[in-house]
Amino acid sequence: MDKLKENLELKNTAVIVVDVQNDYCHVEGAIAKTGIDVSSVKKMMPNLHSLLQSAREHTIPVIFLKTNHEKATDSEVWLSRFKDGINPICHTGSWGAEFFEVAPLPDEIVVKKHRYSGFIHTRLESVLQTLKIETLVMTGVSTNLCVESTARDGFMLDYRIVLMRDACAAFSQEEHDMTLKTVDTYFGMVADTKEVISFWQQQVKKSLQPVT
């Protein structure tokens, strides 16, 4: 709790929701169609919903990162990660690029991205600076790729990182656990949703206590 207090107390915080989109998360999405098991996403969604509800109740900004791929941004190098050189994931305007079981509120910010990291060639840092954000609470998919890439870049840009153990998902437990260890050791800290929600609730109670 001391480490959580260090990263959250008196810090302007934002919840970052990474790539919770049909192609990554839905059983009929592009990732699942390759034979990859996406069931870990479904398991973490209740925790993500609880965290988002609490953040909104405590007026903590929620920022959605949304992958969009198209010819204008699919470079030869970027396409080389696919064996056939064809990118089937999150094409701009497609069903696969739509959000999966989450939806930004009208006043919440969506940042489109074209690479793993939400900081590469996007407006994310401008948004965070405008909101004077100091701490990023990281959630979403997949833990070891887009979430980790964004967390790493965020840390190296001097943002505090709190990675949500049970509100992120990878496509294997090994990949998920590997990122948890890496981030907790080198790029911030790892926490559970219940810990963060409880911390926010305690802060409200403290602020309501009468001054004597």
Side-chain angles (χ1 to χ4, degrees), residues 8 15 51 54-55 58 60 196-204:
L8 292 181
V15 175
L51 186 74
S54 181
H58 294 93
I60 293 166
V196 173
I197 291 171
S198 176
F199 185 88
W200 288 337
Q201 291 170 339
Q202 290 173 17
Q203 295 305 296
V204 171

Side-chain angles (χ1 to χ4, degrees), residues 51-127:
L51 186 74
L52 295 184
Q53 180 181 346
S54 181
R56 288 160 173 163
E57 289 173 353
H58 294 93
T59 65
I60 293 166
V62 177
I63 300 171
F64 290 81
L65 303 188
K66 185 179 186 182
T67 289
N68 284 103
H69 290 313
E70 54 191 44
K71 287 184 179 180
T73 57
D74 276 350
S75 68
E76 183 179 351
V77 171
W78 188 234
L79 291 175
S80 68
R81 59 205 174 105
F82 301 102
K83 290 182 180 179
D84 56 6
I86 298 174
N87 184 353
I89 301 169
C90 293
H91 291 168
T92 299
S94 69
W95 169 85
E98 293 176 4
F99 289 114
F100 173 79
E101 295 188 5
V102 294
L105 297 181
D107 61 341
E108 290 176 341
I109 296 166
V110 177
V111 175
K112 293 182 179 180
K113 68 184 185 69
H114 312 291
R115 295 294 185 267
Y116 293 139
S117 171
F119 284 98
I120 299 298
H121 305 313
T122 75
R123 64 189 183 121
L124 179 58
E125 191 170 10
S126 293
V127 169

Side-chain angles (χ1 to χ4, degrees), residues 124-143:
L124 179 58
E125 191 170 10
S126 293
V127 169
L128 297 175
Q129 289 176 352
T130 299
L131 297 175
K132 296 180 171 56
I133 297 301
E134 300 163 273
T135 296
L136 308 181
V137 174
M138 300 297 307
T139 72
V141 180
S142 64
T143 314

